[in-house]
Each structure stands twice: as C-alpha cells, then as structure tokens.
Amino acid sequence: MHRPATENLEVYNEAENRTSDIYKVLYQQITLYFENKTPWKNPDFSIQDLAIKLNTNTTYISRAVNYSSGMNFKTFVNKYRIDYIKNELLSDHVKKRYSLFYIYTSAGFRHQSTFNKAFKQIESMTPSEYIALISKKNVSISET
C-alpha cells in the first residue's frame, strides 16, 4: 500500500524543518565559539579542530555554515579575519602603531597574497583601496 503523495511531502517537510533547526542551533554554537574564543586568529585552525571542540563532525559544521551563512567554511573563517582587520584599520591607535603585515598575521593570515585575495573576495576591493577609502572618509570628517 502506497502513501498518498501529500502525506509523503508532509513527512519530508517535517524532516527538513528538523534538519534546518539542527543546523541553525549548530551555527549559533559556531558563531559563539568564534566570537568568544577567536580560533580564526590561529593560521592552523581547521574545520576538524572546530568539529572536535563542538563535539560534532566536519560535515555537520560545513552544512550548518553553508545553510546559515551561504558561505563555505574557509570563506566563513576569512570573513571573521577580514572583519577583525577592518576594525583594526579603523582604530587610529592600531593604524599608527602597527604595520598591515602585523595586523593581517595577527588575524590568522600567513601570506599577504592569501590575505589580499580573501579581502578582495569578501569586500570587493583590495586592502589598499579600503585603506584609501577610510583615509578619505577620515579626512572628510576632520574637515567638517
């Protein structure tokens, strides 16, 4: 005896909703961990490390990140790094005291080429263009 198509669809939708709820909860755990522990500052940090810390597996981590943010894990990590760098560049104290090399390596990037590529991918401009843009804004603000 076959189930009616609508009953199969209801069962499927219910399972799909449970799965999306699980991914949402896991994503919240991931973002909390990223914000509180800043593991992305470690250039060797990997999806396997996160899976161990959160007592899950890499497939679930990958799916949760993709489902909730639309990014793959590597881009997700780089987004945290780039946001950190942007905040550092907005701080006059940091900008005057530290080199860009120091800032991007403290954010977890090992190589300038990787940093430049990730920055361009996430911000749609190069780091130099971003620095020029914020410098121009700071000049405009101080002139008023």
Side-chain angles (χ1 to χ4, degrees):
M1 188 160 114
H2 294 300
R3 290 183 179 178
T6 55
E7 190 176 321
N8 286 340
L9 187 58
E10 287 173 16
V11 169
Y12 174 80
N13 285 339
E14 199 174 298
E16 189 71 21
N17 287 338
R18 274 197 306 270
T19 301
S20 72
D21 288 346
I22 290 167
Y23 289 148
K24 286 176 188 174
V25 169
L26 180 56
Y27 184 75
Q28 288 172 336
Q29 292 173 337
I30 293 166
T31 56
L32 274 173
Y33 184 74
F34 268 53
E35 289 162 17
N36 294 328
K37 303 291 184 187
T38 62
W40 42 268
K41 285 186 170 186
N42 175 353
D44 296 320
F45 179 71
S46 71
I47 194 169
Q48 290 85 1
D49 298 327
L50 183 60
I52 290 166
K53 291 291 183 190
L54 297 182
N55 200 27
T56 188
N57 66 51
T58 58
T59 301
Y60 289 157
I61 299 258
S62 180
R63 287 180 184 167
V65 167
N66 190 277
Y67 179 84
S68 296
S69 72
M71 294 180 248
N72 66 30
F73 184 75
K74 185 172 150 186
T75 303
F76 179 78
V77 171
N78 285 340
K79 176 92 170 88
Y80 271 85
R81 291 173 174 164
I82 298 299
D83 287 348
Y84 170 82
I85 291 165
K86 286 171 50 186
N87 272 346
E88 293 294 282
L89 290 172
L90 289 172
S91 164
D92 283 335
H93 167 73
V94 172
K95 199 168 40 177
K96 288 176 183 168
R97 190 166 180 184
Y98 299 107
S99 68
L100 185 58
F101 172 80
Y102 176 84
I103 296 169
Y104 74 70
T105 55
S106 67
F109 287 106
R110 260 199 194 89
H111 306 288
Q112 185 173 359
S113 59
T114 309
F115 159 62
N116 288 340
K117 184 179 176 183
F119 197 98
K120 175 97 176 174
Q121 176 192 9
I122 291 166
E123 295 300 321
S124 302
M125 67 177 76
T126 66
S128 305
E129 291 168 336
Y130 180 78
I131 291 167
L133 182 69
I134 60 173
S135 295
K136 187 177 178 182
K137 284 182 181 176
N138 286 340
V139 169
S140 315
I141 292 169
S142 64
E143 290 175 351
T144 54

